[in-house]
Amino acid sequence: MKIAVIGGTGLIGSTLVAHLSSRGHSVVSMSRSGNVDISKATSPAYWLPHLAGVEAVVNCAGVLQDSPGDSTSMVHHHGIANLFAACEQLQIRRVIHFSAIGVDRETPSEFSRSKLAGDKALMERDLDWVILRPAVVIGRPAYGASALMRGLAALPAIPVMPNTGQLQIVLLEDVVRTVEHFLDPATPARQVVELVGPQRYSFGEVVALIRRWCRWPPAREIRLPQFASSLMYKLGDMISYLGWRPPVRSTAEREMVRGAVGNLEDMQRLGLQPKSLPEFFAAEPASVQERWFAGMYLVKPAIFIVLSLFWLSTAFVSLGPGWGYGMGLMGEGGVEGTAAALTVIAGALADLVIGLAIAYRPTSRYGLYAAIAISFAYAIIGTILVPRLWADPLGPMLKIWPIIVLHFAALAVLEDR
């Protein structure tokens, strides 16, 4: 069967692509990083060339909240409504659509409101549709909320946000099994299924289980005051305007109050007995790579903040308090007057551009490459003009190498998926 997986690079989508391919299906993975941008799907015609020859569609696309690069309205409602219309036009009967648990009961944010609108758009179509509403999904790969939980598990104390509802964690493998079940054309369609695990946990309990899985000793919980958690959510919103996708944003604050629990009978009725989180952890011991990931998760944003601020501060210092120092070094190397001033200004402007590029997610990789290149250039030029700087233990020649290493570390952890 030829199957199109929309959102094929996400947590669920990428696992589905690999699993279905291993089962002999011809799988077409569609994502914004590839060939499909749902925000541009303003009519069914957008989807027609992408769906040629496709026999079934699985839609896994989703975004947490609106930002410069993400639109909940398009990704969850209007863009996929046009996808469903295109499927109907091409007579692609089987459409499996991922929604979110609880949207039929409460819609506290634009995330859940747009998800519910997308569900209704699919229900109106003459298709063999299936709507899956998962709780928080955890598997070997990690992204979004599951990645955040691993990062928090690595801390010596577990911070717990106030007013968080219970979670009925569902395992990624059980989600994949459910999709495979419904891809069979003989399976009855036109139904909504909640995907949940057999047990309910608090947020802190899930983090504690992950910590135990990583073979770290128990840690005490610290319940954050309301003002501290609100500040973190607002900071996440601000960071999202730079193109990053932190899981801690105002939408998460509103959705976490509701929690993620549902009806286990939906999966049991299908003959699917979901595993519990402890069962999964017992069967899948944490590897050293997963322990590294957990330990690096909260270090990663710190690295990018430090590097961005480093280059921005260097630029302002060069044009302000450090102007005389820079001009003195240029003069010592034989470059004086207008040529020296222009060189210092050009260097400061380059530092400013690099700092902004690193801070902005779409250009961050290019900013890191530029930073490494200009750091080596500074080292070479400085060696030629003022070689004595190598003898200064606090001078720029020796301090530049840890900074270069930090840029390579940033490149290594840049990708989220």
Side-chain angles (χ1 to χ4, degrees):
M1 179 184 291
K2 187 175 182 180
I3 304 167
V5 177
I6 317 299
T9 58
L11 173 66
I12 297 174
S14 59
T15 306
L16 272 175
V17 168
H19 179 81
L20 295 175
S21 297
S22 71
R23 292 295 192 269
H25 295 287
S26 174
V27 183
V28 181
S29 175
M30 301 184 190
S31 66
R32 184 166 50 185
S33 60
N35 56 346
V36 170
D37 185 350
I38 301 179
S39 64
K40 298 178 181 177
T42 55
S43 73
Y46 176 86
W47 293 101
L48 298 181
H50 299 292
L51 298 175
V54 168
E55 300 168 81
V57 169
V58 183
N59 176 44
C60 308
V63 296
L64 181 61
Q65 71 181 50
D66 293 333
S67 66
D70 295 321
S71 167
T72 53
S73 175
M74 286 300 296
V75 175
H76 299 160
H77 180 201
H78 298 294
I80 60 160
N82 288 322
L83 167 66
F84 303 148
C87 289
E88 190 176 64
Q89 183 176 335
L90 294 173
Q91 297 185 346
I92 301 172
R93 297 294 308 172
R94 184 67 53 156
V95 176
I96 301 174
H97 167 62
F98 276 89
S99 180
I101 200 160
V103 297
D104 58 326
R105 298 186 287 272
E106 187 179 353
T107 54
S109 70
E110 189 56 35
F111 169 85
S112 49
R113 286 190 289 271
S114 58
K115 279 287 190 182
L116 181 59
D119 294 356
K120 292 178 178 178
L122 178 57
M123 293 176 182
E124 293 170 356
R125 291 291 169 184
D126 181 21
L127 297 168
D128 295 332
W129 53 262
V130 176
I131 296 174
L132 303 180
R133 291 176 174 161
V136 175
V137 180
I138 285 183
R140 291 310 292 254
Y143 183 71
S146 62
L148 173 64
M149 289 173 175
R150 296 191 191 199
L152 294 176
L155 296 176
I158 300 173
V160 178
M161 301 291 192
N163 303 321
T164 55
Q166 288 193 308
L167 305 174
Q168 214 163 335
I169 302 295
V170 63
L171 298 179
L172 182 58
E173 60 187 76
D174 289 325
V175 173
V176 170
R177 283 198 301 140
T178 305
V179 172
E180 191 172 30
H181 172 83
F182 280 111
L183 281 172
D184 183 351
T187 303
R190 302 183 75 82
Q191 57 180 304
V192 178
V193 178
E194 294 187 336
L195 304 183
V196 296
Q199 295 172 309
R200 295 188 178 192
Y201 302 97
S202 69
F203 185 88
E205 287 171 337
V206 176
V207 176
L209 284 171
I210 294 174
R211 185 174 176 84
R212 189 184 311 159
W213 178 56
C214 290
R215 300 185 296 282
W216 291 319
R220 61 187 292 263
E221 289 186 1
I222 298 178
R223 301 206 168 266
L224 297 179
Q226 186 67 48
F227 78 88
S229 63
S230 297
L231 181 62
M232 291 178 63
Y233 289 123
K234 287 181 172 59
L235 181 61
D237 287 342
M238 292 172 59
I239 292 174
S240 70
Y241 286 106
L242 294 175
W244 301 90
R245 294 176 177 174
V248 180
R249 285 181 267 175
S250 56
T251 294
E253 180 179 20
R254 290 189 287 270
E255 293 290 336
M256 286 174 67
V257 173
R258 181 184 61 188
V261 297
N263 187 0
L264 183 61
E265 293 178 0
D266 283 1
M267 297 183 70
Q268 293 174 334
R269 175 170 43 83
L270 300 173
L272 301 171
Q273 297 296 329
K275 282 185 182 178
S276 69
L277 198 53
E279 286 176 318
F280 168 73
F281 287 152
E284 301 279 349
S287 66
V288 65
Q289 289 81 10
E290 280 153 333
R291 289 158 59 92
W292 282 356
F293 175 86
M296 282 293 296
Y297 182 78
L298 296 176
V299 175
K300 173 182 173 176
I303 290 176
F304 283 89
I305 291 171
V306 166
L307 289 178
S308 181
L309 291 178
F310 168 79
W311 288 102
L312 292 174
S313 62
T314 299
F316 288 116
V317 168
S318 297
L319 296 175
W323 175 265
Y325 178 74
M327 291 294 288
L329 289 179
M330 297 300 295
E332 187 176 341
V335 181
E336 299 179 343
T338 303
L342 290 176
T343 301
V344 173
I345 292 172
L349 292 177
D351 294 346
L352 180 64
V353 170
I354 287 173
L356 294 174
I358 291 175
Y360 186 53
R361 178 62 181 85
T363 60
S364 190
R365 181 178 298 278
Y366 305 109
L368 292 170
Y369 283 138
I372 293 170
I374 204 168
S375 296
F376 280 115
Y378 285 158
I380 294 170
I381 294 170
T383 300
I384 295 171
L385 295 180
V386 193
R388 70 165 179 82
L389 291 175
W390 283 100
D392 184 354
L394 299 178
M397 290 305 180
L398 293 182
K399 289 191 291 187
I400 200 171
W401 301 107
I403 293 295
I404 290 176
V405 171
L406 198 58
H407 284 89
F408 279 111
L411 283 169
V413 299
L414 177 60
E415 294 300 329
D416 292 320
R417 321 185 180 199

